[in-house]
Amino acid sequence: MFRNSILRLSSSIQPYGTKSRLVTIVCQRSFYSTQNSGIEFKENSIQVNDTAYHRDDWTNVTPTVLSKLERKLHLQPRNPIGIIRQLIEDHFNDFATFNNVSPIVTTQQNFDDLLIPKDHPSRTKSDNYYFNKDTVLRAHTSAHQLQGLASGANKFLISGDVYRRDEIDSSHYPVFHQIEGLAYFGGQDEDQVAAIQADLEKAKPIPANIEIVDDTVIHAGNPKQDRHSQVVMTPLVAHLKHSINSMICHLFADEPNLKVRWIEAYFPFTSPSYEVEIFYQGEWLEVLGCGVVQQTLLDKGNRHDAVGWAFGMGLERLAMVLFGIPDIRLFWSQDNRFIDQFTPGQINKFQAFSKYPPCIKDISFWLPPTEWHDNNFCESIRGVAGDLVENVKVIDDFVHPKTNRRSLCYRIMYRSMDRNVTNDEINEIQEKVRSTVEQEFGVELREKK
Ligand code: DAH
């Protein structure tokens, strides 16, 4: 099944890197009112502070996900997400920083400005949280590239919370954090080359304990853009690669043997495009996407005369690796035993506090004739169980030989990060999950297990 981007935690395929996918629309409408900090679900609109977003067929934001808007983990100085964001900002010390931009953006910003085609798979309702067809919770910090350009800064970083509907396990959460970087050089070819070279001369060399594996070359499969000259592209790509490699070295400064690998990629908003992976404790981890900014994007930002590069990186995966954090929900924990372990500016290993026992429940049902999406099902469980749900997986998938109907059985693991849960309490939640799923998706529940 389709997994989310490298900038999430698990997968190999990036939503912005894929070219086609089935599109399914499942309408989900929830009526919900809350005293929660300026957020109100009304019959025809959703109110966030002073703004009302009208509902339409695209509306699928949920109260659970909106309750995260105010947390801004990347701005909390002692949260590992905040610590990494700060270390990156310190490293790129000549970049302007934007780290408090609202995550509610237009679909123009999230997709069109980035040249993402109208039928691109990353736009689907089952991957995003829409207020309505024109307004969405940003799915990546790239949504603000044009605003960054409009600021006038020729080098900038944008960090923030980003939102994607997804499955549930220890490394997926519907809200995560990214940092975006963009640098451009204006003027004639020779001015651009001179500015790039001047930066490269100032740059510190890559330390010897880091091995960089890079056999990427600019070629027809991952081409330079027609408007670009090779004379500028060679130093620009060298500048991009050096900037990224040295940021990784800065973050992994204490790592005795680090391997960094560059591979080719595809994004609608860059060409050539790359992904960067790190070999860490026996596996290659995808950590970021980057490339030479499409000239049409710079044109839209009124920087016709400039060439530039950009990158986007997820912070959770890096923080889990660097701080040894085993479960993504921990970043959201308000338990002092978590947050008290960390110090701004410092990367130290997390000491696990006792894990409370899980409570496991299965749910099985016959699917309705419409298309089925795990993400929507998981979203619905999160709506009922919140952070008590640790992991959801399919344990049986069966098609009846006579009727051809498909039946699925999911195993839901409930566990709290900071207390024991009781069987009675989880039974009650499971009952709610059963009735919600029945109503929302029209499944036919099978016997309880
Ligand atoms: N926005 C992309 C994603 O979330 C990542 C990315 C790739 C950002 C390339 C960039 C870039 O700025 O140049 O999958």
Side-chain angles (χ1 to χ4, degrees):
M1 103 153 259
F2 180 84
R3 302 300 303 259
N4 257 328
S5 102
I6 53 159
L7 308 162
R8 299 303 311 266
L9 294 144
S10 63
S11 60
S12 47
I13 307 173
Q14 305 190 48
Y16 302 101
T18 45
K19 287 176 182 161
S20 68
R21 185 187 159 205
L22 273 179
V23 179
T24 316
I25 308 289
V26 178
C27 184
Q28 184 179 323
R29 181 165 281 231
S30 51
F31 288 86
Y32 185 90
S33 229
T34 161
Q35 353 32 355
N36 190 346
S37 60
I39 294 167
E40 205 180 332
F41 279 66
K42 299 181 177 166
E43 192 176 342
N44 296 315
S45 65
I46 297 164
Q47 183 87 26
V48 181
N49 302 324
D50 296 336
T51 312
Y53 299 94
H54 72 269
R55 288 171 178 266
D56 64 15
D57 286 352
W58 283 81
T59 310
N60 69 354
V61 283
T62 61
T64 322
V65 83
L66 287 190
S67 71
K68 309 290 189 229
L69 288 186
E70 59 183 12
R71 294 288 302 277
K72 303 183 187 180
L73 301 187
H74 63 295
L75 297 184
Q76 292 180 22
R78 298 181 63 181
N79 191 298
I81 303 294
I83 295 176
I84 295 208
R85 191 264 311 153
Q86 187 66 58
L87 286 172
I88 295 169
E89 287 184 4
D90 294 347
H91 176 72
F92 286 112
N93 58 14
D94 56 344
F95 281 55
T97 54
F98 303 99
N99 52 31
N100 207 356
V101 190
S102 168
I104 304 175
V105 300
T106 59
T107 49
Q108 174 80 33
Q109 289 172 291
N110 201 68
F111 304 115
D112 303 276
D113 285 350
L114 291 151
L115 318 169
I116 295 171
K118 287 281 183 217
D119 60 352
H120 195 272
S122 63
R123 295 189 185 236
T124 56
K125 270 180 80 176
S126 48
D127 279 7
N128 294 285
Y129 293 99
Y130 282 91
F131 283 86
N132 53 45
K133 77 174 189 354
D134 302 317
T135 318
V136 67
L137 284 171
R138 67 181 162 218
H140 53 170
T141 42
S142 307
H144 302 291
Q145 283 195 3
L146 284 190
Q147 280 163 284
L149 291 175
S151 75
N154 65 339
K155 291 176 176 162
F156 56 84
L157 297 171
I158 304 163
S159 57
D161 37 342
V162 300
Y163 297 76
R164 293 184 198 167
R165 291 163 84 92
D166 213 336
E167 295 153 48
I168 301 182
D169 63 31
S170 64
S171 60
H172 289 87
Y173 200 80
V175 191
F176 58 106
H177 297 78
Q178 286 189 336
I179 192 158
E180 188 86 8
L182 192 149
Y184 68 83
F185 303 86
Q188 304 290 322
D189 282 8
E190 41 301 356
D191 306 322
Q192 295 171 349
V193 172
I196 296 169
Q197 299 290 15
D199 266 4
L200 283 173
E201 273 154 33
K202 278 188 293 189
K204 281 200 222 136
I206 302 296
N209 61 323
I210 315 276
E211 185 188 340
I212 310 249
V213 183
D214 180 6
D215 50 19
T216 61
V217 284
I218 301 180
H219 69 110
N222 192 23
K224 81 169 180 58
Q225 297 161 45
D226 290 343
R227 283 166 63 186
H228 289 161
S229 78
Q230 195 60 53
V231 176
V232 179
M233 274 315 106
T234 304
L236 183 73
V237 170
H239 190 283
L240 159 66
K241 289 182 172 175
H242 190 86
S243 305
I244 299 293
N245 288 333
S246 55
M247 166 186 67
I248 294 173
C249 295
H250 179 66
L251 292 175
F252 286 83
D254 297 332
E255 201 49 43
N257 300 303
L258 186 66
K259 255 198 231 172
V260 176
R261 173 162 87 178
W262 284 73
I263 50 181
E264 284 181 9
Y266 168 81
F267 302 102
F269 34 94
T270 49
S271 192
S273 306
Y274 307 97
E275 274 167 23
V276 178
E277 300 182 333
I278 293 176
F279 194 70
Y280 192 76
Q281 293 178 344
E283 357 170 26
W284 284 104
L285 300 174
E286 300 165 0
V287 289
L288 63 85
C290 62
V292 175
V293 180
Q294 281 289 354
Q295 212 54 35
T296 34
L297 201 149
L298 287 170
D299 290 345
K300 282 178 190 234
N302 283 321
R303 300 284 167 230
H304 314 264
D305 69 318
V307 289
W309 55 253
F311 75 90
M313 179 164 80
L315 298 180
E316 269 75 356
R317 162 178 281 184
L318 276 179
M320 287 174 88
V321 163
L322 286 166
F323 291 83
I325 292 172
D327 190 307
I328 195 164
R329 291 176 303 162
L330 278 163
F331 295 116
W332 299 88
S333 166
Q334 283 167 319
D335 188 324
N336 287 342
R337 287 175 302 169
F338 179 71
I339 213 76
D340 286 352
Q341 293 194 21
F342 307 109
T343 316
Q346 224 170 284
I347 294 177
N348 56 285
K349 289 291 175 209
F350 167 67
Q351 301 293 323
F353 40 88
S354 67
K355 235 184 168 189
Y356 293 92
C359 182
I360 291 167
K361 302 281 166 192
D362 293 346
I363 176 169
S364 53
F365 42 76
W366 295 105
L367 295 189
T370 46
E371 208 156 337
W372 181 254
H373 280 273
D374 285 346
N375 286 1
N376 294 338
F377 173 67
C378 288
E379 188 58 43
S380 184
I381 302 178
R382 280 198 206 274
V384 177
D387 283 358
L388 285 181
V389 50
E390 176 165 315
N391 154 342
V392 176
K393 57 179 185 230
V394 179
I395 55 165
D396 189 40
D397 186 343
F398 160 79
V399 178
H400 192 285
K402 293 217 176 99
T403 60
N404 234 0
R405 286 176 86 194
R406 184 169 165 216
S407 153
L408 287 177
C409 179
Y410 286 91
R411 175 153 294 167
I412 308 177
M413 191 196 279
Y414 297 95
R415 192 203 309 258
S416 161
M417 284 287 161
D418 39 37
R419 65 187 175 82
N420 261 319
V421 291
T422 66
N423 198 38
D424 285 354
E425 160 191 23
I426 299 300
N427 275 340
E428 216 173 284
I429 294 180
Q430 180 74 358
E431 266 319 302
K432 269 197 212 143
V433 166
R434 288 173 64 86
S435 55
T436 308
V437 171
E438 190 175 29
Q439 281 165 24
E440 200 171 311
F441 305 110
V443 302
E444 186 189 320
L445 293 170
R446 302 184 66 178
E447 76 287 356
K448 277 193 214 169
K449 292 213 179 143

